[in-house]
């Protein structure tokens, strides 16, 4: 109306036109715009990372890492009491998150039995095995009298049963056995959890063994990447590329490794992977999928929150639902199931590398003799698929020997060529990678040759 009055007063509008346009204006209905809370939370997360990149001004086109199909399919049925995140555990890309930015990245809730795989891993690394027997009898420490969920005791159970069925009392005994005093065990576990990036509120007492540590799904999903990655933790990110107003690429994120956990043996990770696979196939998370899948994970039930966190060879996921009188099996797992079923409807499940080699004498045996004694060289020579099947991740487990042999001069007394991949292509892939600082890059190359990541063309060809 202000503009119409001005036009009339300056004789730029006739009285009849003024009446007509006034009538039009009065007939306009102004509706409240639709407010999408989910998209706002995603936008806030992207803007937060933009600020870290020191972007000034506007007009940029930002390409995020978010899987739009997954995000859009899940978001409309999301509940305010839930939070979840799914990561690419090789590159660190945030594939999607659900719930408020605060709940996913900053809020703290007790994680319950989600904590157990981490200190069970420490026990395996100290020499415990899946058949180690643990005490399962009534326990009281000061005024604390913890209970098993079923309020029953079996006298003793194996380490495997204690983890996959999430039995509390034997888990506490395992926790206390890590060091020669309760306080040292607490300190050891807390240090390890902080080393792998779990930020939160730490209780500094034995209740830590049952997950009174408070954290969020982002920290837990990132920490779970140590299992499929055998100790590597990728640096997470949500912005993939940025273009200026003219369409020029001005920023492209390349994967970086945030940390390599040096203190855990490959065998320990491999055993833990087998245990966490059993949690899904026969333990507390066996209702995750209607049919068996090679997936790995752990449930967690606390007083005011329930969890499921897990992974395959490519993704890690963590889900949480807050509230009273909840169970992880009936409240957290259905959230994860919905997300994963949608994701796997168009993305194939990726297997976690297995640790197949236990020879203590390999350092004293030539690589060629070791291969000859353990594998059919003709099959390996004639079939790349058999190479993957029979010697999966040999280069990951024994990288120095692999690289030494791979550079073997074919003209010097070589009657066969074990590895059929073209050297120039592999070197080209390696040289094209930019994974941050040189020492981090070298650790990544030496410790983990993920074929799908480093050699995607070869990987696709092999799996056709």
């Amino acid at each position: 109306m202000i503009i119409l009055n001005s036009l009339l007063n300056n004789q730029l509008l006739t009285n009849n036109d003024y009446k007509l346009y006034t009538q039009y204006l009065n007939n306009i209905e102004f509706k409240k715009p639709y407010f999408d809370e989910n998209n706002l939370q995603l936008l806030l997360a992207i803007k937060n990372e933009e600020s870290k990149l020191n972007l000034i001004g506007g007009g940029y086109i930002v390409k995020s890492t978010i899987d739009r199909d997954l995000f859009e399919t899940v978001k409309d049925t999301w509940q305010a009491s839930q939070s979840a995140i799914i990561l690419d555990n090789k590159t660190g890309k945030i594939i999607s998150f659900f719930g408020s930015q605060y709940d996913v990245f900053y809020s703290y809730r007790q994680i319950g039995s989600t904590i157990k795989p981490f200190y069970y891993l420490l026990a395996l690394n100290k020499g415990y095995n899946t058949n180690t027997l643990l005490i399962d009898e009534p326990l009281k420490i000061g005024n604390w009298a913890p209970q098993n969920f079923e309020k029953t005791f079996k006298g003793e159970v194996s380490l495997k049963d204690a983890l996959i069925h999430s039995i509390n009392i034997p888990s506490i005994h395992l926790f206390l056995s890590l060091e020669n005093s309760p306080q040292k065990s607490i300190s050891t576990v807390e240090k390890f959890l902080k080393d792998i990036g779990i930020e939160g509120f730490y209780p500094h007492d034995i209740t830590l063994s049952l997950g009174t540590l408070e954290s969020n799904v982002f920290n837990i999903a990132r920490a779970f990447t140590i299992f499929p990655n055998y100790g590597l933790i990728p640096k997470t990110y949500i912005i993939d590329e940025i273009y200026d107003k003219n369409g020029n690429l001005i920023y492209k994120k390349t994967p970086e490794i945030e940390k390599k956990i040096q203190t855990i043996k490959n065998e320990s990770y491999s055993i833990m992977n087998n245990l966490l696979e059993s949690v899904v196939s026969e333990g507390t998370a066996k209702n995750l999928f209607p049919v068996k899948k090679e997936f790995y994970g752990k449930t967690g039930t606390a007083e005011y929150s329930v969890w499921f966190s897990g992974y395959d060879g490519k993704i890690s996921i963590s889900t949480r639902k807050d509230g009273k009188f909840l169970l992880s099996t009936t409240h957290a797992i259905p959230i994860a199931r919905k997300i994963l079923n949608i994701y796997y409807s168009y993305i194939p499940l990726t297997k976690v590398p297995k640790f197949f080699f236990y020879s203590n004498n390999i350092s004293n045996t030539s690589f060629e003799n070791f291969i000859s004694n353990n594998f059919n060289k003709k099959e390996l020579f004639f079939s790349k698929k058999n190479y993957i099947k029979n010697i999966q991740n040999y280069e990951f487990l024994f990288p120095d020997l692999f690289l030494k042999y791979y550079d073997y001069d074919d003209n010097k007394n070589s009657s066969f060529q074990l590895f059929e991949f073209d050297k120039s292509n592999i070197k080209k892939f390696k040289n094209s990678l930019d994974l941050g600082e040189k020492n981090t890059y070298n650790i990544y190359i030496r410790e983990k040759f993920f074929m799908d990541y480093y050699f995607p063309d070869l990987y696709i060809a092999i799996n056709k």
Side-chain angles (χ1 to χ4, degrees):
M1 286 300 300
I2 294 174
I3 296 174
L4 286 177
N5 289 333
S6 177
L7 291 172
L8 180 65
N9 293 335
N10 287 282
Q11 298 181 348
L12 297 174
L13 205 63
T14 66
N15 288 332
N16 289 336
D17 287 339
Y18 176 80
K19 291 179 182 179
L20 178 64
Y21 291 128
T22 299
Q23 184 178 359
Y24 286 157
L25 186 61
N26 290 334
N27 290 334
I28 295 176
E29 294 184 12
F30 293 94
K31 295 183 179 180
K32 184 178 180 181
Y34 172 68
F35 181 73
D36 190 323
E37 175 69 22
N38 299 283
N39 286 346
L40 175 63
Q41 296 301 324
L42 177 58
L43 180 61
L44 289 174
I46 293 172
K47 295 297 290 184
N48 183 53
E49 189 162 322
E50 273 186 28
S51 65
K52 296 177 182 179
L53 298 175
N54 296 319
L55 289 179
I56 300 173
Y60 297 106
I61 299 173
V62 177
K63 180 182 177 182
S64 79
T65 61
I66 298 297
D67 183 321
R68 181 176 179 179
D69 291 337
L70 179 63
F71 179 77
E72 293 291 339
T73 305
V74 173
K75 71 170 188 178
D76 292 335
T77 58
W78 200 253
Q79 299 177 14
S81 61
Q82 301 172 173
S83 56
I85 192 168
I86 182 169
L87 308 173
D88 185 315
N89 55 36
K90 299 297 176 288
T91 63
K93 290 181 180 180
I94 297 176
I95 296 173
S96 192
F97 73 85
F98 306 98
S100 73
Q101 185 191 19
Y102 173 76
D103 284 341
V104 172
F105 296 98
Y106 303 108
S107 69
Y108 291 156
R109 293 287 189 278
Q110 288 188 1
I111 68 173
S113 293
T114 305
I115 197 174
K116 290 176 182 175
F118 300 110
Y119 68 79
Y120 270 69
L121 179 67
L122 295 178
L124 293 172
N125 208 53
K126 287 176 68 72
Y128 288 79
N129 60 63
T130 57
N131 296 319
T132 298
L133 293 178
L134 304 173
I135 297 172
D136 185 23
E137 297 175 350
L139 175 67
K140 188 172 184 180
I141 303 174
N143 295 323
W144 186 47
Q147 296 288 326
N148 292 329
F149 177 77
E150 295 179 347
K151 303 292 193 298
T152 60
F153 305 94
K154 298 180 179 180
E156 60 182 15
V157 297
S158 69
L159 181 149
K160 176 181 178 179
D161 285 342
L163 181 65
I164 71 172
H165 298 297
S166 205
I167 308 174
N168 287 337
I169 301 302
S171 297
I172 297 171
H173 282 291
L174 183 68
F175 180 96
L176 293 172
S177 71
L178 292 173
E179 301 291 350
N180 55 18
S181 74
Q183 194 55 51
K184 286 184 178 180
S185 292
I186 294 166
S187 298
T188 294
V189 174
E190 285 191 357
K191 181 181 183 303
F192 181 68
L193 295 173
K194 292 175 181 178
D195 282 347
I196 62 177
I198 300 184
E199 299 174 0
F201 173 76
Y202 284 79
H204 306 305
D205 59 32
I206 300 173
T207 65
L208 177 67
S209 61
L210 298 186
T212 54
L213 160 66
E214 298 177 14
S215 195
N216 53 55
V217 292
F218 169 68
N219 287 330
I220 298 302
R222 184 178 55 177
F224 261 71
T225 64
I226 67 170
F227 300 121
N229 288 350
Y230 286 70
L232 288 173
I233 302 174
K235 187 173 289 185
T236 58
Y237 61 99
I238 199 170
I239 292 180
D240 200 7
E241 296 176 347
I242 299 175
Y243 297 83
D244 65 17
K245 60 184 179 180
N246 297 317
N248 298 311
L249 180 65
I250 61 172
Y251 171 84
K252 181 173 178 59
K253 176 64 177 176
T254 53
E256 295 180 69
I257 299 304
E258 185 171 313
K259 182 175 288 189
K260 161 68 176 173
I261 304 302
Q262 304 281 4
T263 54
I264 306 297
K265 294 175 288 190
N266 284 338
E267 294 97 327
S268 303
Y269 286 118
S270 188
I271 296 170
M272 179 52 63
N273 285 332
N274 291 335
L275 288 170
L276 293 179
E277 185 179 10
S278 295
V279 171
V280 175
S281 63
E282 58 183 293
T284 56
K286 63 184 178 182
N287 64 333
L288 180 62
F289 298 110
V291 295
K292 185 177 180 181
K293 290 183 183 292
E294 195 171 304
F295 200 81
Y296 309 71
K298 184 70 185 75
T299 54
T301 299
E303 188 174 1
Y304 297 108
S305 59
V306 291
W307 300 68
F308 175 78
S309 304
Y311 56 91
D312 71 5
K314 182 176 176 59
I315 61 168
S316 294
I317 185 173
S318 184
T319 63
R320 186 185 85 198
K321 186 175 178 66
D322 300 331
K324 294 183 178 179
F325 312 117
L326 304 177
L327 294 175
S328 57
T329 53
T330 55
H331 294 92
I333 283 182
I335 301 172
R337 183 194 303 125
K338 179 176 183 178
I339 296 172
L340 292 171
N341 281 342
I342 294 170
Y343 179 79
Y344 286 133
S345 69
Y346 57 92
I347 300 291
L349 184 146
T350 303
K351 293 185 177 182
V352 173
K354 301 290 186 180
F355 188 91
F356 289 134
F357 304 92
Y358 297 92
S359 171
N360 293 323
N361 299 319
I362 185 164
S363 58
N364 300 321
T365 307
S366 74
F367 182 49
E368 186 172 344
N369 287 339
F370 180 80
I371 292 296
S372 300
N373 294 334
N374 289 275
F375 301 103
N376 185 324
K377 289 188 291 186
K378 288 185 178 180
E379 281 191 356
L380 294 173
F381 175 67
F382 287 113
S383 171
K384 293 179 183 179
K385 288 186 178 180
N386 280 330
Y387 162 75
I388 297 301
K389 178 181 178 181
N390 290 314
I391 197 170
Q392 183 186 34
N393 280 25
Y394 189 96
E395 57 269 45
F396 162 46
L397 299 169
F398 303 111
D400 295 334
L401 289 171
F402 167 75
L403 291 174
K404 180 180 178 181
Y405 185 83
Y406 191 80
D407 288 333
Y408 190 76
D409 188 342
D410 296 335
N411 297 320
K412 293 182 179 178
N413 302 320
S414 177
S415 58
F416 70 96
Q417 191 174 10
L418 177 62
F419 300 99
E420 297 180 295
F421 309 127
D422 181 74
K423 291 182 185 179
S424 62
N425 284 341
I426 289 185
K427 289 180 179 179
K428 185 177 180 181
F429 273 109
K430 285 174 58 178
N431 293 335
S432 69
L433 293 174
D434 179 9
L435 299 175
E437 295 181 5
K438 186 175 181 181
N439 62 335
T440 303
Y441 169 85
N442 288 338
I443 289 174
Y444 197 101
I445 291 296
R446 190 170 67 249
E447 296 289 344
K448 187 172 277 300
F449 264 15
F450 281 98
M451 180 162 289
D452 59 337
Y453 183 69
Y454 285 117
F455 315 130
D457 295 339
L458 291 171
Y459 180 79
I460 291 171
I462 289 170
N463 286 280
K464 280 185 178 179

